[in-house]
Amino acid sequence: MAAPEATAAAQGTNATAQETIGRAGTAMVEFSRVSKIYQAGAPAVENLSLSVDKGKITVFVGPSGCGKTTSLRMINRMVEPTSGTITVGGRDVASIPAPELRRSMGYVMQQSGLLPHRTVVDNIATVLRLNKVPRAAARKRALELLETVGLPAGMARRYPNQLSGGQQQRVGVARALAADPPVLLMDEPFSAVDPVVRAELQAELLRLQRELAKTIIFVTHDIDEATLLGDKVAVFATGGRVAQYAPPEEILRAPVDDFVANFVGRDRGFRHLSFSPGTDVPLHRAPTFLMDDAGRNQAAASAAWALAVDGDGHPLGWLPPGASGLEIVPGGSLFHPGDSLRNALDAALSSPSGQGVAVDADGRVAGLVQAPEVLAAIDAAREGRS
Ligand SMILES: Nc1ncnc2c1ncn2[C@@H]1O[C@H](COP(=O)(O)OP(=O)(O)OP(=O)(O)O)[C@@H](O)[C@H]1O
Ligand SMILES: [Mg+2]
């Protein structure tokens, strides 16, 4: 049921779509028995009922062709439902003129969808200009947004094809945020970039969301991305049926059926560790030695693995037992303060020495973690001892 203020806003005849959306209660977007049948085919979305929380990230995840994009696009009427109702901020989207509705929400796609013949700053300012914001004010806001998404001001004058894929996606996010919309629709926005950039963009989105608290509906087919980003995750099955809609921790711990269990995959036990803090994992003193700027190893050969550090104590790699000279091997993943048991275990398992390197907030070596002790911490967490 719509919250009272949302209902009042929905009845207000003068409110713009964006004002109405801004006054919604806890449910921002509601699908009610929504179906979409393209031409005379099988339903792309069938009888979807789902409520999206305000100010949270809701992820639609599922295999290809299961109706995620169709569901997303019905929210801003890029696709019209065959039957059923969608409300945004308590107001039936069918009652809002489609162009106005679209401008009231940010939309980010897999390929950034930037206009190739316009500069970055003009791309970001597009919706502001459509909303009749004067040119100078729109550009000023666009430049602020460039900074918000972590791009240098010097990129403002470039054209989209002069940016990397990751930079283009950041511009796409800035453009979507330009009119400060309460709702952001994101359709596989990070799927076309390499895994390292993708991880950066994911972290950046979470950081932005802590500041902005938008209602974000995020589509992906990647369960890892879904569980990382989602406050809640809807797992779609073929035909636009939602098999499970729950917080990610619950989907990994207790998939409702074989479809969801298969989709979240064999590694779900390992992924579930992402939700357990690694604070109780013991840290051991690290046998470090200094490697100077010229890269010369200042250690004598030792009987055990030794960790090379720079002058500030940042880890550089491992020296195998009995080795000397420049035989440093790359380290594994690092374990940061506040990381989960998953990170702790990965740090230990990925390290050539079998000991995971923990670093402090400044990236300096803080100690070593050992896999058996991480496993003991996992047992303790399961038994509720920590
Ligand atoms: N314009 C269209 N005309 C006809 N059928 C369509 C159209 N758009 C989508 N479909 C069909 O609807 C179903 C759902 O498509 P949709 O694009 O919503 O899936 P999806 O979950 O986003 O998939 P993907 O992960 O591949 O992006 C598919 O069977 C697709 O072929
Ligand atoms: Mg899609």
Side-chain angles (χ1 to χ4, degrees):
M1 208 180 85
E5 71 268 31
T7 311
Q11 287 162 353
T13 47
N14 294 327
T16 65
Q18 184 155 339
E19 281 165 357
T20 305
I21 294 166
R23 279 183 255 145
T26 51
M28 178 60 100
V29 179
E30 294 238 35
F31 290 82
S32 179
R33 306 178 67 82
V34 174
S35 296
K36 175 67 187 180
I37 301 169
Y38 289 106
Q39 287 107 31
V45 175
E46 190 168 24
N47 209 14
L48 176 66
S49 292
L50 180 141
S51 170
V52 170
D53 293 336
K54 182 180 180 185
K56 304 284 184 197
I57 302 181
T58 297
V59 177
F60 292 176
V61 70
S64 186
C66 64
K68 306 180 295 294
T69 295
T70 300
S71 299
L72 190 77
R73 291 188 170 193
M74 286 192 290
I75 298 171
N76 71 357
R77 292 185 60 193
M78 286 166 79
V79 171
E80 298 286 356
T82 308
S83 60
T85 315
I86 298 172
T87 60
V88 176
R91 198 171 162 197
D92 187 343
V93 294
S95 71
I96 304 173
E100 185 193 335
L101 182 72
R102 259 165 243 162
R103 283 205 301 274
S104 74
M105 297 181 200
Y107 190 82
V108 188
M109 295 173 287
Q110 180 172 348
Q111 303 296 345
S112 63
L114 300 174
L115 300 168
H117 53 283
R118 287 201 192 165
T119 60
V120 163
V121 67
D122 287 341
N123 263 288
I124 297 173
T126 306
V127 173
L128 296 172
R129 296 291 292 139
L130 286 173
N131 285 346
K132 312 254 183 311
V133 175
R135 182 178 296 272
R139 289 192 154 220
K140 182 164 176 283
R141 172 86 180 121
L143 288 171
E144 286 166 11
L145 280 159
L146 205 56
E147 192 183 339
T148 304
V149 298
L151 290 175
M155 287 196 176
R157 300 250 153 261
R158 290 203 204 164
Y159 288 88
N161 67 1
Q162 297 171 317
L163 302 179
S164 71
Q167 289 163 345
Q168 288 184 29
Q169 289 311 99
R170 284 176 194 259
V171 174
V173 172
R175 182 182 56 174
L177 289 172
D180 198 20
V183 177
L184 272 186
L185 308 177
M186 306 184 84
D187 193 352
E188 309 224 21
F190 308 148
S191 298
V193 297
D194 72 62
V196 174
V197 173
R198 186 173 193 175
E200 280 170 23
L201 292 172
Q202 289 166 343
E204 195 76 6
L205 181 67
L206 288 173
R207 182 189 63 76
L208 268 179
Q209 174 65 352
R210 277 194 291 275
E211 281 169 31
L212 303 175
K214 300 287 183 190
T215 302
I216 299 179
I217 303 167
F218 189 107
V219 167
T220 180
H221 54 254
D222 175 354
I223 186 69
D224 266 320
E225 184 164 73
T227 54
L228 175 74
L229 297 178
D231 293 298
K232 272 174 105 176
V233 174
V235 183
F236 279 64
T238 313
R241 176 181 73 86
V242 171
Q244 188 166 9
Y245 184 39
E249 181 275 332
E250 187 176 324
I251 285 179
L252 293 175
R253 176 172 45 79
V256 285
D257 59 19
D258 287 349
F259 171 78
V260 178
N262 276 330
F263 186 73
V264 300
R266 287 188 215 284
D267 293 338
R268 71 184 168 88
F270 183 58
R271 278 200 290 268
H272 185 246
L273 293 176
S274 302
F275 299 95
S276 303
T279 35
D280 290 335
V281 178
L283 291 188
H284 298 271
R285 202 187 61 78
T288 58
F289 66 91
L290 184 70
M291 205 151 109
D292 70 16
D293 283 344
R296 271 191 304 277
N297 171 6
Q298 301 193 344
S302 98
W305 285 90
L307 183 64
V309 294
D310 67 12
D312 294 322
H314 300 129
L316 296 173
W318 285 93
L319 186 67
S324 62
L326 296 172
E327 295 170 72
I328 304 289
V329 294
S333 63
L334 296 173
F335 177 55
H336 297 88
D339 276 353
S340 65
L341 287 174
R342 175 181 174 163
N343 299 113
L345 190 57
D346 192 68
L349 296 180
S350 64
S351 170
S353 70
Q355 313 220 61
V357 178
V359 292
D360 64 17
D362 298 319
R364 299 190 173 92
V365 173
L368 299 178
V369 295
Q370 296 175 351
E373 291 179 341
V374 181
L375 292 174
I378 291 167
D379 276 340
R382 184 173 28 238
E383 290 159 18
R385 285 191 275 120
S386 69

